[in-house]
Amino acid sequence: MAKSVENRALKKGAWSPEEDKKLIAYIKRYGIWNWAEMAKPAGLQRSGKSCRLRWVNYLRPGIKHGNFTKEEEETIIDLHEKLGNRSFHVQVVSSSGQIMVELNRWSVIASKLPGRTDNEIKNHWHAHLSKRLKYDLNSLPDMSDAEFDQYSSFKTDPPPTNVPNALISESSAATSTNSLPSSSSNPKQ
DNA sequence: AAGTCATACAACCGCCGGAAT
DNA sequence: TATTCCGGCGGTTGTATGACT
């Protein structure tokens, strides 16, 4: 009830420089203690999720913006191929003993690319790399994005039949390897 | 110059798992 | 043990911008 009234008052859409400044100033002063509660005292009419996303992906110190390098793209493609559409577990030794930690695909890839966020990597994947992979990069000569786009008139056509299945359907290939217990049981995914 | 289309990127939504109670 | 809340993730959408006709 009250919550829906609050939600209606929440601002959505692009962040203004003033909002950015408010969020940065608040976090510098008080740190991150509760995203849902922080927005109000920070003077922001935003949801906690929106504040968190803005901070994690754009305002946080050390975030790298701009074009992905070839090395970064190769890392993304390589890890995406290895990880597929799934999460997995790693063993971590902490002061309290050995524990299992679950990591997800994009955050794992992001951890290998300092300054890059999972959201940025995910967007880059969907915008550039997935379509490039669909066409089997290995069979093409080295080419720029512009050259690739020129080449890729397949966009609305079905993929050629000689492309391996693993490259045609990322999701189906990933599903077949999804044998580990996973938290990513979201039916949407 | 104006309209249309394609692309890139920022942000949102829905869902899930873990922690707290 | 059950419930609630919060943080985090993946997928998707909305919008600004540039290219093209």
Side-chain angles (χ1 to χ4, degrees), chain A residues 59-60 106 130 133 150 153 158 160 178:
Chain A
L59 303 179
R60 197 166 45 130
W106 299 119
S130 62
L133 260 197
Q150 188 184 1
S153 58
N178 190 4

Side-chain angles (χ1 to χ4, degrees), chain A residues 12-189:
Chain A
K12 291 182 180 179
W15 280 64
S16 68
E18 287 73 28
E19 288 177 306
D20 285 347
K21 281 179 197 165
K22 283 180 183 177
L23 184 59
I24 292 169
Y26 188 87
I27 290 176
K28 269 187 181 172
R29 182 157 188 176
Y30 300 105
I32 298 166
W33 49 281
N34 182 322
W35 287 114
E37 297 296 324
M38 283 164 54
K40 231 178 190 176
L44 296 164
Q45 290 187 316
R46 294 276 183 173
S47 69
K49 278 191 170 190
S50 183
C51 293
R52 179 192 155 270
L53 198 71
R54 184 66 182 169
W55 172 257
V56 168
N57 289 324
Y58 299 96
L59 303 179
R60 197 166 45 130
I63 297 295
K64 204 196 290 182
H65 295 289
N67 294 339
F68 281 71
T69 65
K70 198 162 178 150
E71 288 72 28
E72 286 175 322
E73 288 191 340
E74 280 169 4
T75 302
I76 293 168
I77 292 168
D78 184 49
L79 287 173
H80 187 278
E81 193 178 321
K82 284 176 185 162
L83 301 179
N85 185 20
R86 62 187 164 98
S87 57
F88 63 96
H89 295 82
V90 296
Q91 287 190 331
V92 175
V93 180
S94 71
S95 56
S96 57
Q98 203 170 59
I99 58 174
M100 296 296 286
V101 174
E102 186 178 276
L103 295 173
N104 294 287
R105 178 175 50 166
W106 299 119
S107 44
V108 171
I109 298 173
S111 72
K112 300 288 181 190
L113 300 173
R116 299 295 187 184
T117 68
D118 54 355
N119 198 47
E120 196 176 13
I121 292 168
K122 182 175 61 181
N123 281 331
H124 190 70
W125 171 264
H126 287 302
H128 303 269
L129 303 180
S130 62
K131 70 176 180 182
R132 195 181 301 184
L133 260 197
K134 274 184 185 175
Y135 213 63
D136 190 357
L137 189 61
N138 294 332
S139 69
L140 299 176
D142 204 18
M143 61 174 71
S144 67
D145 273 357
E147 288 168 327
F148 174 79
D149 286 341
Q150 188 184 1
Y151 191 80
S152 60
S153 58
F154 65 93
K155 269 177 278 190
T156 56
D157 299 328
T161 52
N162 62 342
V163 176
N165 284 339
L167 294 169
I168 295 173
S169 174
E170 161 210 340
S171 56
S172 61
T175 304
S176 67
T177 60
N178 190 4
S179 56
L180 290 173
S182 166
S183 68
S184 299
S185 52
N186 189 338
K188 268 196 324 185
Q189 295 161 7

